[in-house]
């Protein structure tokens, strides 16, 4: 690997605690800044950040915390609701978390006096993925080590429940057709469910275990990506149920896979924290080598900016941001 691809984060933001998970809001929230949420050992922070890539008069990054929510238990996952609006009066901040106590918490805030949360209980083991339906934001899907995928309404009632054959690792909702859901299992199978018929309609096989993370490409929904073992894998679901492309990337087992929100050939992967540091890589399908390699002392979480080729990762008392070319 060429040495010049390895670089430090372009920007960092200091945090009060170790960051377990970080998520940019993937939805338009009616404000020029970008909402970002990150979770620590017992709180969730909601902030806005603007980068010099977007606004010429900013040097580097401009970050502001809007609110800190006490959580009481380690935050494992965060999902934004499309109902979040910063330009309404009052503003609406809506997101949910998964936590080490196997519960989902749905938070709603106006950033002033109204701060509520509802607990969604039902999973009997760790929750590995959760997502809002992107059209209406009226349902949440979650997958867990308890071998289930569950769909919840905002009242906390389960509206559907799929039994899996191994732990559920990732769940993604189709951006347009909100009755289609993708669920990735640790045994290497990725299934697509029709939520109206409540049954599986298609499945993909990685032929590799353990599958740790999978992601539906929202720019081109025929593409699915995942990491299993040390490799990244890419499927074209119109062509085969087996991966079209795969490559070994992380020595210490790959951990997360995320497609860029703006380019269907750009994606990022992270490795598990090894003896030294977690490795983070950005890949482009046209390039044989990663186009960017970063190293984080203890990195966790991975999220792409909504409109820039920029990734965020959580670290030890900091958020780290890497920027790449299109």
């Amino acid at each position: 690997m060429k040495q010049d691809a390895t670089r430090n984060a372009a920007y960092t933001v200091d945090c009060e605690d170790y960051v377990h998970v970080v998520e940019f809001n993937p939805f338009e929230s009616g404000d020029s800044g970008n909402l970002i949420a990150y979770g620590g050992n017992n709180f969730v922070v909601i902030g806005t950040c603007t980068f010099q890539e977007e606004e010429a008069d900013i040097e580097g990054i401009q970050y502001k915390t809007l609110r800190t929510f006490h959580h009481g238990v380690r935050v494992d996952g965060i999902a934004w609701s499309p109902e979040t609006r910063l330009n309404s009066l009052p503003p609406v901040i809506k997101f949910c978390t998964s936590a080490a106590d196997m519960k989902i918490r749905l938070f709603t805030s106006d950033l002033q006096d109204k701060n509520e949360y509802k607990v969604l209980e039902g999973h009997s083991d760790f929750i590995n993925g959760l997502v809002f339906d992107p059209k209406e934001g009226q349902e949440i899907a979650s997958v867990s080590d308890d071998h289930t995928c569950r769909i919840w309404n905002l009242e906390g009632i389960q509206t559907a429940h799929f039994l899996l054959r191994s732990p559920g690792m990732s769940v993604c909702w189709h951006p347009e057709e909100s009755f289609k859901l993708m669920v990735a299992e640790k045994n290497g199978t990725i299934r697509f469910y029709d939520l109206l018929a409540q049954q599986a309609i298609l499945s993909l096989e990685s032929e590799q275990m353990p599958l740790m993370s999978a992601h539906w490409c929202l720019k081109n929904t025929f593409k699915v990506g995942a990491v299993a073992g040390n490799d990244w894998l890419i499927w074209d679901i119109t062509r085969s149920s087996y991966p079209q492309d795969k490559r070994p990337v992380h020595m210490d087992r790959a951990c997360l896979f995320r497609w860029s929100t703006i380019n269907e050939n750009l994606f990022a992967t992270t490795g598990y924290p090894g003896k030294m540091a977690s490795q983070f890589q950005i890949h482009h399908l046209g390039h044989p080598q990663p186009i960017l390699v970063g190293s984080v002392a203890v990195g966790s979480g991975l999220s792409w900016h909504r409109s820039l080729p920029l990734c965020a990762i959580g670290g030890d008392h900091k958020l780290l941001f890497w920027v790449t070319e299109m």
Side-chain angles (χ1 to χ4, degrees), residues 89-305:
L89 277 171
V92 178
I93 296 284
K94 201 171 209 173
F95 63 93
C96 63
T97 62
S98 58
D101 60 2
M102 307 168 208
K103 297 184 175 99
I104 295 169
R105 289 166 176 79
L106 171 62
F107 288 83
T108 310
S109 168
D110 63 2
L111 297 176
Q112 288 144 25
D113 310 325
K114 181 189 166 198
N115 295 288
E116 307 167 352
Y117 78 87
K118 182 183 283 290
V119 177
L120 284 56
E121 293 188 62
H123 281 299
S124 59
D125 210 332
F126 288 116
I127 299 162
N128 296 315
L130 75 168
V131 63
F132 273 88
D133 94 75
K135 289 295 254 193
E136 308 290 330
Q138 296 307 299
E139 289 188 303
I140 295 164
S142 58
V143 289
S144 160
D145 280 351
D146 66 11
H147 295 211
T148 66
C149 169
R150 297 166 197 248
I151 314 287
W152 318 73
N153 65 19
L154 301 192
E155 298 305 305
I157 311 293
Q158 281 186 45
T159 57
H161 178 131
F162 300 106
L163 286 175
L164 312 176
R165 290 170 202 173
S166 67
M169 301 307 290
S170 299
V171 59
C172 300
W173 225 297
H174 191 288
E176 300 300 329
E177 300 165 25
S178 50
F179 59 88
K180 283 187 186 162
L181 196 71
M182 184 201 94
V183 174
E185 295 189 37
K186 199 169 190 173
N187 67 6
T189 303
I190 298 173
R191 282 194 188 80
F192 296 84
Y193 291 90
D194 178 328
L195 295 179
L196 303 177
Q198 296 212 356
Q199 63 186 25
I201 45 178
L202 177 74
S203 70
L204 308 175
E205 293 298 336
S206 70
E207 298 188 295
Q208 247 166 290
M209 286 171 30
L211 186 152
M212 298 311 290
S213 170
H215 198 210
W216 209 342
C217 180
L218 302 185
K219 287 295 280 182
N220 175 356
T221 50
F222 292 146
K223 278 185 177 172
V224 172
V227 285
N230 300 11
D231 301 3
W232 60 252
L233 309 103
I234 310 276
W235 289 260
D236 173 345
I237 64 174
T238 61
R239 300 188 52 179
S240 170
S241 58
Y242 295 102
Q244 207 158 15
D245 207 350
K246 69 173 184 180
R247 216 155 288 168
V249 273
H250 295 285
M251 303 289 288
D252 293 299
R253 254 202 20 231
C255 177
L256 294 172
F257 182 108
R258 294 285 185 276
W259 289 104
S260 154
T261 42
I262 54 175
N263 182 335
E264 63 169 83
N265 291 313
L266 205 57
F267 60 95
T269 59
T270 62
Y272 275 89
K275 296 180 181 65
M276 303 296 285
S278 326
Q279 213 188 30
F280 153 73
Q281 299 183 3
I282 294 181
H283 311 268
H284 190 288
L285 280 178
H287 295 261
Q289 296 291 339
I291 58 172
L292 188 151
V293 177
S295 178
V296 197
V298 271
S300 46
L302 173 63
S303 183
W304 283 91
H305 188 284

